[in-house]
Amino acid sequence: VVVGGGVLGSSIAARLSQTTATVCLLEAEPDLAGGASKSNAGVTVSFYGDPGSLETQIVNASSPRWEELSERLDVPFRRVGAIIVALTEDESDQLPALHERIAASGARARLFTSKQVRNRVALVSADCQGGISLPDDGIVDPMRLTIALAILADRNGAALQLGERVIGLRRDGASVVEVTTPARVVSARFVVNAAGLGAPEISALAGGEPLDGWPRKGQFVVLDRAFGSRLPHIVFSAPSADTKGIGVVPTTNGSALVGATAVDHTDISDRRTDHETIEVLLNHARRLVPSVDAKYAIKAYAGNRPASSEPFRLRFDRQVPNLIHATSRSSGVSAAPGAAEYVLGLLREAGLEANDNPNAVRSLTPVPRLRTANDPVALTSVDPRYGQVVCACEQVSAAEVAAALDGPIPATSIEGIRKRTGAAYGRCQGSLCLAGLSFLCGVATSAGPGRVRMTSSGAMGS
Amino acid sequence: MSTHPVVVVGAGPTGLGCAVELARICQVTIVDRIPVAGGTAGWNGRAIRRLVRLAERSGVRFRLGATACTWEPGHLLVAQHGDISWIASDWLFFAGGLRPATPIELGLAGDRPAGVVPATVAEHLLAQAAPIWRRPAIVEGPWLAAVRRQMLRAGVTPLPLASHPRNSHAGWSITAGSDDRVCGVVANGDGQVHCDALILAGDPRPVRNVEGAIDDASPGVVFAQPNGPSTVEERSQYGRRLAHRWRQTSGESD
């Protein structure tokens, strides 16, 4: 039983579903990718963590796999490369040490002069003092990735239960034997705790070791394609005290993200943005890339990632012998493919019969997309509804919306459609298409205009 | 007479005005998402019907119920049910109208709950005169009157919120309730206004949704999106004058 339908839980469930093991995935929210897997920058890093750490080992194992994985799962991915930019002499002085650390971790990296940086990304500020190029970093659509992994698990016979919060874990002796949700009791030989911010609670319910964990809020600003289309690489700040981790990141749909901040707090439900932080983000981004402008801002959002004194946790519980914890405060997307393989290894060592099933489904049938199709003119012969554009900003057609609403794990809210298609993600934020989306969603979920859900749980009407 | 093909996107009064003027020297096709001409002016008023007839008589071709997707100088990708095709076009006149400002454009931060709805969408949701909100707040702006009328008809009195100065990023924030729906707005530190919907009806912005015709400087594109003129006559005159000036400066002539 895998608890948590984020990118780690879905990836682990997908991998296990391709073996002879019987898999169940439980997710508390009505849809997948609701937590940190939704609100991240979608960067597949080639370097994260310390040389020699498990996190580095897993990220290194994951990084080369993205082309193959994204192709099989019909998930947008581009290996765009990243540049870490030093803006001050202080930052520049730290680059050689950082470069050594990156090289020691096994990732490809090159020290760049300021001229080389600006040759690579002309948009970078003239204040640039140098940088490090990370050619193997990439960008992926983290929501499409999570959902595709869960669909793969579903196709291979895994039982997916959405909207079912785990409320109890019954033990027989030291081991967990049953997982209880309000709707069912699932017997379990092993439990994988991939509950993200809920991981400490799951461990406590199982009588496992006390895990520490708290929400670390990150705010992002999304910039329009009018800007994002001119940004060929990920641009990160050099790590320094005040600007840790803020970058300007292209996305797979052509927009760009500025973010994220990192503020530790205590309220898991707090995903508020605030004016000061938005201003700080834009100002910082402008220092890196002067053409960043508030006029390109489409929206701001915030998410909480699961921070902990054990930032990357992929191991058995010390008290409950059949409970595995899988949580990452930040590298979840980047580590997902390798983490799934690693968890399978742990389970096999612990005695789970999980032989690879040669007949397992390995790839998903791609859904063509109007905006990215090589020959859009040919699409109406696949489905005439490709010609019916619902969301004009993002060029999402009625055929794609129908695929999201009728898919193996159907969207049940407007947000669910957005995660699967990008509809209403663009510069007008739904002012032209939300009515159509709410109608289509209402028809599919038998809900009237007031009851259609805009977010995964919030209704359009009161 | 020149036979340069030109596409006008938007069959509202402005687009029709452009088309009528351009038809004097070009082969004009007018494209609109909605299957009837008229845009926000509606399809059946006397003034708009007269304008449509004038365009027809001027030789303007109509391609209605079709969405303009992508502009590349020389042609425009247009999609409608069962038919996606490129239309040859030397110039694109974009008369796609205005939309309400988004939360970030209004300087609205805070939560992102359900129930925050652009006025253009609220108009559709309220069309059945079914009250889906009990205490809606409206960011004031050009769409306020129409939305308020519909709400009053549904028996609900909306709460207008004075519009926020542009781009100050220093104003309001949205509060969500436990049901992930909007429950209040804090406006300029004036304390919380309780509401169960927030309708964005303020600070009109030009719609920009044709790929390749997003930037003001997009090659081959003329934007015709007046913010101010409101009557059919004023907007069509605006379109005609714009197209006329373009003829004189672009060297396109009969």
Side-chain angles (χ1 to χ4, degrees), chain B residues 91-125:
Chain B
W91 292 87
L92 174 68
F93 276 71
F94 186 80
L98 305 169
R99 60 165 175 84
T102 60
I104 199 164
E105 288 166 343
L106 288 164
L108 277 162
D111 290 315
R112 300 197 313 118
V116 180
V117 181
T120 41
V121 175
E123 286 183 59
H124 283 281
L125 298 176

mmCIF file of all heavy atoms in Angstrom, chain B residues 91-125:
data_model
loop_
_atom_site.group_PDB
_atom_site.id
_atom_site.type_symbol
_atom_site.label_atom_id
_atom_site.label_comp_id
_atom_site.label_asym_id
_atom_site.label_seq_id
_atom_site.Cartn_x
_atom_site.Cartn_y
_atom_site.Cartn_z
ATOM 1 N N TRP B 91 -1.829 40.723 -43.592
ATOM 2 C CA TRP B 91 -1.873 41.483 -42.344
ATOM 3 C C TRP B 91 -2.917 40.865 -41.432
ATOM 4 O O TRP B 91 -3.890 40.281 -41.908
ATOM 5 C CB TRP B 91 -2.244 42.958 -42.601
ATOM 6 C CG TRP B 91 -1.179 43.700 -43.327
ATOM 7 C CD1 TRP B 91 -1.015 43.770 -44.670
ATOM 8 C CD2 TRP B 91 -0.118 44.453 -42.737
ATOM 9 N NE1 TRP B 91 0.093 44.531 -44.981
ATOM 10 C CE2 TRP B 91 0.668 44.966 -43.801
ATOM 11 C CE3 TRP B 91 0.247 44.752 -41.431
ATOM 12 C CZ2 TRP B 91 1.788 45.754 -43.590
ATOM 13 C CZ3 TRP B 91 1.364 45.541 -41.214
ATOM 14 C CH2 TRP B 91 2.122 46.030 -42.296
ATOM 15 N N LEU B 92 -2.702 41.028 -40.140
ATOM 16 C CA LEU B 92 -3.707 40.598 -39.171
ATOM 17 C C LEU B 92 -4.198 41.826 -38.415
ATOM 18 O O LEU B 92 -3.401 42.557 -37.808
ATOM 19 C CB LEU B 92 -3.097 39.596 -38.184
ATOM 20 C CG LEU B 92 -3.999 39.167 -37.023
ATOM 21 C CD1 LEU B 92 -5.165 38.320 -37.537
ATOM 22 C CD2 LEU B 92 -3.205 38.378 -35.983
ATOM 23 N N PHE B 93 -5.499 42.077 -38.503
ATOM 24 C CA PHE B 93 -6.109 43.105 -37.659
ATOM 25 C C PHE B 93 -6.754 42.389 -36.485
ATOM 26 O O PHE B 93 -7.642 41.550 -36.687
ATOM 27 C CB PHE B 93 -7.147 43.922 -38.446
ATOM 28 C CG PHE B 93 -6.517 45.036 -39.215
ATOM 29 C CD1 PHE B 93 -5.746 44.752 -40.330
ATOM 30 C CD2 PHE B 93 -6.673 46.357 -38.810
ATOM 31 C CE1 PHE B 93 -5.130 45.777 -41.040
ATOM 32 C CE2 PHE B 93 -6.061 47.393 -39.512
ATOM 33 C CZ PHE B 93 -5.281 47.100 -40.629
ATOM 34 N N PHE B 94 -6.275 42.682 -35.287
ATOM 35 C CA PHE B 94 -6.784 41.972 -34.123
ATOM 36 C C PHE B 94 -7.729 42.878 -33.341
ATOM 37 O O PHE B 94 -7.314 43.861 -32.732
ATOM 38 C CB PHE B 94 -5.646 41.472 -33.227
ATOM 39 C CG PHE B 94 -6.135 40.614 -32.092
ATOM 40 C CD1 PHE B 94 -6.448 39.275 -32.301
ATOM 41 C CD2 PHE B 94 -6.317 41.142 -30.823
ATOM 42 C CE1 PHE B 94 -6.931 38.469 -31.283
ATOM 43 C CE2 PHE B 94 -6.807 40.352 -29.788
ATOM 44 C CZ PHE B 94 -7.106 39.022 -30.023
ATOM 45 N N ALA B 95 -9.013 42.524 -33.373
ATOM 46 C CA ALA B 95 -10.039 43.287 -32.646
ATOM 47 C C ALA B 95 -10.732 42.343 -31.674
ATOM 48 O O ALA B 95 -11.938 42.132 -31.729
ATOM 49 C CB ALA B 95 -11.034 43.897 -33.645
ATOM 50 N N GLY B 96 -9.919 41.747 -30.796
ATOM 51 C CA GLY B 96 -10.412 40.697 -29.888
ATOM 52 C C GLY B 96 -11.024 41.216 -28.601
ATOM 53 O O GLY B 96 -11.333 40.436 -27.710
ATOM 54 N N GLY B 97 -11.171 42.534 -28.479
ATOM 55 C CA GLY B 97 -11.889 43.066 -27.323
ATOM 56 C C GLY B 97 -11.075 43.133 -26.051
ATOM 57 O O GLY B 97 -9.850 42.999 -26.071
ATOM 58 N N LEU B 98 -11.776 43.350 -24.963
ATOM 59 C CA LEU B 98 -11.154 43.567 -23.663
ATOM 60 C C LEU B 98 -11.608 42.487 -22.695
ATOM 61 O O LEU B 98 -12.659 41.889 -22.865
ATOM 62 C CB LEU B 98 -11.545 44.945 -23.123
ATOM 63 C CG LEU B 98 -11.251 46.119 -24.056
ATOM 64 C CD1 LEU B 98 -11.932 47.384 -23.521
ATOM 65 C CD2 LEU B 98 -9.753 46.358 -24.187
ATOM 66 N N ARG B 99 -10.802 42.270 -21.686
ATOM 67 C CA ARG B 99 -11.170 41.327 -20.621
ATOM 68 C C ARG B 99 -10.918 41.985 -19.276
ATOM 69 O O ARG B 99 -10.142 42.938 -19.196
ATOM 70 C CB ARG B 99 -10.322 40.055 -20.734
ATOM 71 C CG ARG B 99 -8.821 40.356 -20.601
ATOM 72 C CD ARG B 99 -7.998 39.123 -20.338
ATOM 73 N NE ARG B 99 -6.573 39.415 -20.337
ATOM 74 C CZ ARG B 99 -5.887 39.878 -19.290
ATOM 75 N NH1 ARG B 99 -6.514 40.138 -18.146
ATOM 76 N NH2 ARG B 99 -4.599 40.120 -19.369
ATOM 77 N N PRO B 100 -11.558 41.485 -18.222
ATOM 78 C CA PRO B 100 -11.272 42.050 -16.898
ATOM 79 C C PRO B 100 -9.856 41.692 -16.454
ATOM 80 O O PRO B 100 -9.331 40.649 -16.850
ATOM 81 C CB PRO B 100 -12.293 41.368 -15.976
ATOM 82 C CG PRO B 100 -13.187 40.541 -16.838
ATOM 83 C CD PRO B 100 -12.552 40.402 -18.177
ATOM 84 N N ALA B 101 -9.261 42.567 -15.645
ATOM 85 C CA ALA B 101 -7.924 42.292 -15.126
ATOM 86 C C ALA B 101 -7.948 41.061 -14.221
ATOM 87 O O ALA B 101 -8.939 40.773 -13.561
ATOM 88 C CB ALA B 101 -7.415 43.500 -14.343
ATOM 89 N N THR B 102 -6.836 40.334 -14.210
ATOM 90 C CA THR B 102 -6.703 39.132 -13.384
ATOM 91 C C THR B 102 -6.331 39.533 -11.951
ATOM 92 O O THR B 102 -5.968 40.695 -11.704
ATOM 93 C CB THR B 102 -5.597 38.232 -13.944
ATOM 94 O OG1 THR B 102 -4.373 38.975 -13.932
ATOM 95 C CG2 THR B 102 -5.903 37.788 -15.363
ATOM 96 N N PRO B 103 -6.365 38.591 -11.024
ATOM 97 C CA PRO B 103 -5.990 38.958 -9.643
ATOM 98 C C PRO B 103 -4.618 39.626 -9.559
ATOM 99 O O PRO B 103 -4.486 40.661 -8.896
ATOM 100 C CB PRO B 103 -6.005 37.605 -8.912
ATOM 101 C CG PRO B 103 -7.066 36.823 -9.626
ATOM 102 C CD PRO B 103 -6.926 37.226 -11.077
ATOM 103 N N ILE B 104 -3.618 39.091 -10.239
ATOM 104 C CA ILE B 104 -2.287 39.689 -10.068
ATOM 105 C C ILE B 104 -2.224 41.063 -10.724
ATOM 106 O O ILE B 104 -1.546 41.966 -10.236
ATOM 107 C CB ILE B 104 -1.168 38.748 -10.562
ATOM 108 C CG1 ILE B 104 0.171 39.175 -9.944
ATOM 109 C CG2 ILE B 104 -1.085 38.705 -12.085
ATOM 110 C CD1 ILE B 104 1.252 38.151 -10.020
ATOM 111 N N GLU B 105 -2.979 41.256 -11.806
ATOM 112 C CA GLU B 105 -3.015 42.574 -12.437
ATOM 113 C C GLU B 105 -3.711 43.595 -11.538
ATOM 114 O O GLU B 105 -3.398 44.784 -11.569
ATOM 115 C CB GLU B 105 -3.724 42.498 -13.798
ATOM 116 C CG GLU B 105 -2.897 41.791 -14.865
ATOM 117 C CD GLU B 105 -3.690 41.412 -16.105
ATOM 118 O OE1 GLU B 105 -4.940 41.383 -16.056
ATOM 119 O OE2 GLU B 105 -3.064 41.114 -17.127
ATOM 120 N N LEU B 106 -4.656 43.127 -10.738
ATOM 121 C CA LEU B 106 -5.353 44.020 -9.811
ATOM 122 C C LEU B 106 -4.576 44.231 -8.530
ATOM 123 O O LEU B 106 -4.953 45.059 -7.700
ATOM 124 C CB LEU B 106 -6.726 43.428 -9.456
ATOM 125 C CG LEU B 106 -7.778 43.453 -10.548
ATOM 126 C CD1 LEU B 106 -8.919 42.511 -10.189
ATOM 127 C CD2 LEU B 106 -8.302 44.856 -10.764
ATOM 128 N N GLY B 107 -3.507 43.467 -8.340
ATOM 129 C CA GLY B 107 -2.779 43.542 -7.080
ATOM 130 C C GLY B 107 -3.449 42.745 -5.979
ATOM 131 O O GLY B 107 -3.311 43.048 -4.799
ATOM 132 N N LEU B 108 -4.191 41.704 -6.358
ATOM 133 C CA LEU B 108 -4.855 40.846 -5.369
ATOM 134 C C LEU B 108 -3.944 39.674 -5.026
ATOM 135 O O LEU B 108 -3.602 38.885 -5.903
ATOM 136 C CB LEU B 108 -6.140 40.283 -5.962
ATOM 137 C CG LEU B 108 -7.398 41.130 -5.927
ATOM 138 C CD1 LEU B 108 -8.407 40.588 -6.930
ATOM 139 C CD2 LEU B 108 -7.991 41.117 -4.536
ATOM 140 N N ALA B 109 -3.580 39.538 -3.759
ATOM 141 C CA ALA B 109 -2.770 38.395 -3.338
ATOM 142 C C ALA B 109 -3.605 37.548 -2.374
ATOM 143 O O ALA B 109 -4.823 37.648 -2.342
ATOM 144 C CB ALA B 109 -1.480 38.887 -2.698
ATOM 145 N N GLY B 110 -2.930 36.733 -1.590
ATOM 146 C CA GLY B 110 -3.629 35.915 -0.599
ATOM 147 C C GLY B 110 -3.880 34.512 -1.098
ATOM 148 O O GLY B 110 -3.068 33.943 -1.819
ATOM 149 N N ASP B 111 -5.036 33.952 -0.714
ATOM 150 C CA ASP B 111 -5.381 32.592 -1.115
ATOM 151 C C ASP B 111 -5.868 32.572 -2.559
ATOM 152 O O ASP B 111 -6.174 33.619 -3.133
ATOM 153 C CB ASP B 111 -6.482 32.041 -0.194
ATOM 154 C CG ASP B 111 -5.965 31.782 1.209
ATOM 155 O OD1 ASP B 111 -4.869 31.198 1.326
ATOM 156 O OD2 ASP B 111 -6.641 32.176 2.175
ATOM 157 N N ARG B 112 -5.945 31.356 -3.113
ATOM 158 C CA ARG B 112 -6.478 31.206 -4.466
ATOM 159 C C ARG B 112 -7.641 30.210 -4.445
ATOM 160 O O ARG B 112 -7.563 29.133 -5.017
ATOM 161 C CB ARG B 112 -5.372 30.743 -5.414
ATOM 162 C CG ARG B 112 -4.205 31.740 -5.469
ATOM 163 C CD ARG B 112 -3.316 31.532 -6.664
ATOM 164 N NE ARG B 112 -2.987 30.128 -6.834
ATOM 165 C CZ ARG B 112 -3.325 29.403 -7.896
ATOM 166 N NH1 ARG B 112 -3.985 29.948 -8.883
ATOM 167 N NH2 ARG B 112 -2.990 28.142 -7.969
ATOM 168 N N PRO B 113 -8.717 30.579 -3.758
ATOM 169 C CA PRO B 113 -9.817 29.638 -3.577
ATOM 170 C C PRO B 113 -10.793 29.639 -4.753
ATOM 171 O O PRO B 113 -10.710 30.478 -5.646
ATOM 172 C CB PRO B 113 -10.518 30.200 -2.332
ATOM 173 C CG PRO B 113 -10.300 31.667 -2.433
ATOM 174 C CD PRO B 113 -8.952 31.865 -3.077
ATOM 175 N N ALA B 114 -11.732 28.710 -4.712
ATOM 176 C CA ALA B 114 -12.846 28.722 -5.655
ATOM 177 C C ALA B 114 -13.735 29.925 -5.349
ATOM 178 O O ALA B 114 -13.769 30.416 -4.220
ATOM 179 C CB ALA B 114 -13.644 27.431 -5.530
ATOM 180 N N GLY B 115 -14.461 30.408 -6.364
ATOM 181 C CA GLY B 115 -15.394 31.506 -6.152
ATOM 182 C C GLY B 115 -14.845 32.862 -6.551
ATOM 183 O O GLY B 115 -15.538 33.862 -6.416
ATOM 184 N N VAL B 116 -13.598 32.912 -7.037
ATOM 185 C CA VAL B 116 -13.050 34.155 -7.593
ATOM 186 C C VAL B 116 -13.205 34.025 -9.107
ATOM 187 O O VAL B 116 -12.578 33.177 -9.734
ATOM 188 C CB VAL B 116 -11.578 34.351 -7.197
ATOM 189 C CG1 VAL B 116 -11.038 35.639 -7.793
ATOM 190 C CG2 VAL B 116 -11.440 34.350 -5.680
ATOM 191 N N VAL B 117 -14.077 34.854 -9.667
ATOM 192 C CA VAL B 117 -14.559 34.598 -11.022
ATOM 193 C C VAL B 117 -14.502 35.874 -11.860
ATOM 194 O O VAL B 117 -15.002 36.918 -11.433
ATOM 195 C CB VAL B 117 -16.028 34.088 -10.973
ATOM 196 C CG1 VAL B 117 -16.552 33.792 -12.356
ATOM 197 C CG2 VAL B 117 -16.147 32.855 -10.082
ATOM 198 N N PRO B 118 -13.905 35.818 -13.064
ATOM 199 C CA PRO B 118 -13.952 36.987 -13.943
ATOM 200 C C PRO B 118 -15.405 37.327 -14.300
ATOM 201 O O PRO B 118 -16.232 36.426 -14.461
ATOM 202 C CB PRO B 118 -13.195 36.534 -15.202
ATOM 203 C CG PRO B 118 -12.427 35.317 -14.793
ATOM 204 C CD PRO B 118 -13.188 34.683 -13.669
ATOM 205 N N ALA B 119 -15.706 38.620 -14.437
ATOM 206 C CA ALA B 119 -17.080 39.051 -14.715
ATOM 207 C C ALA B 119 -17.611 38.440 -16.003
ATOM 208 O O ALA B 119 -18.795 38.107 -16.103
ATOM 209 C CB ALA B 119 -17.134 40.581 -14.792
ATOM 210 N N THR B 120 -16.727 38.273 -16.983
ATOM 211 C CA THR B 120 -17.157 37.697 -18.261
ATOM 212 C C THR B 120 -17.680 36.273 -18.070
ATOM 213 O O THR B 120 -18.512 35.802 -18.836
ATOM 214 C CB THR B 120 -15.974 37.685 -19.239
ATOM 215 O OG1 THR B 120 -14.786 37.295 -18.524
ATOM 216 C CG2 THR B 120 -15.732 39.054 -19.845
ATOM 217 N N VAL B 121 -17.161 35.588 -17.054
ATOM 218 C CA VAL B 121 -17.607 34.223 -16.755
ATOM 219 C C VAL B 121 -18.868 34.268 -15.892
ATOM 220 O O VAL B 121 -19.823 33.515 -16.115
ATOM 221 C CB VAL B 121 -16.480 33.438 -16.045
ATOM 222 C CG1 VAL B 121 -16.958 32.065 -15.612
ATOM 223 C CG2 VAL B 121 -15.264 33.341 -16.956
ATOM 224 N N ALA B 122 -18.873 35.194 -14.929
ATOM 225 C CA ALA B 122 -20.046 35.324 -14.060
ATOM 226 C C ALA B 122 -21.303 35.593 -14.891
ATOM 227 O O ALA B 122 -22.381 35.066 -14.595
ATOM 228 C CB ALA B 122 -19.821 36.446 -13.044
ATOM 229 N N GLU B 123 -21.150 36.400 -15.955
ATOM 230 C CA GLU B 123 -22.311 36.689 -16.806
ATOM 231 C C GLU B 123 -22.917 35.405 -17.364
ATOM 232 O O GLU B 123 -24.131 35.248 -17.417
ATOM 233 C CB GLU B 123 -21.907 37.612 -17.968
ATOM 234 C CG GLU B 123 -21.676 39.049 -17.541
ATOM 235 C CD GLU B 123 -21.339 39.933 -18.743
ATOM 236 O OE1 GLU B 123 -22.159 40.015 -19.669
ATOM 237 O OE2 GLU B 123 -20.243 40.520 -18.754
ATOM 238 N N HIS B 124 -22.051 34.473 -17.778
ATOM 239 C CA HIS B 124 -22.558 33.193 -18.296
ATOM 240 C C HIS B 124 -23.213 32.373 -17.192
ATOM 241 O O HIS B 124 -24.264 31.779 -17.382
ATOM 242 C CB HIS B 124 -21.410 32.377 -18.895
ATOM 243 C CG HIS B 124 -20.998 32.858 -20.249
ATOM 244 N ND1 HIS B 124 -21.701 32.540 -21.386
ATOM 245 C CD2 HIS B 124 -19.961 33.633 -20.637
ATOM 246 C CE1 HIS B 124 -21.115 33.103 -22.424
ATOM 247 N NE2 HIS B 124 -20.061 33.773 -21.998
ATOM 248 N N LEU B 125 -22.556 32.337 -16.026
ATOM 249 C CA LEU B 125 -23.072 31.506 -14.934
ATOM 250 C C LEU B 125 -24.408 32.030 -14.425
ATOM 251 O O LEU B 125 -25.244 31.274 -13.949
ATOM 252 C CB LEU B 125 -22.062 31.452 -13.780
ATOM 253 C CG LEU B 125 -20.704 30.842 -14.116
ATOM 254 C CD1 LEU B 125 -19.769 30.939 -12.915
ATOM 255 C CD2 LEU B 125 -20.860 29.378 -14.544
#
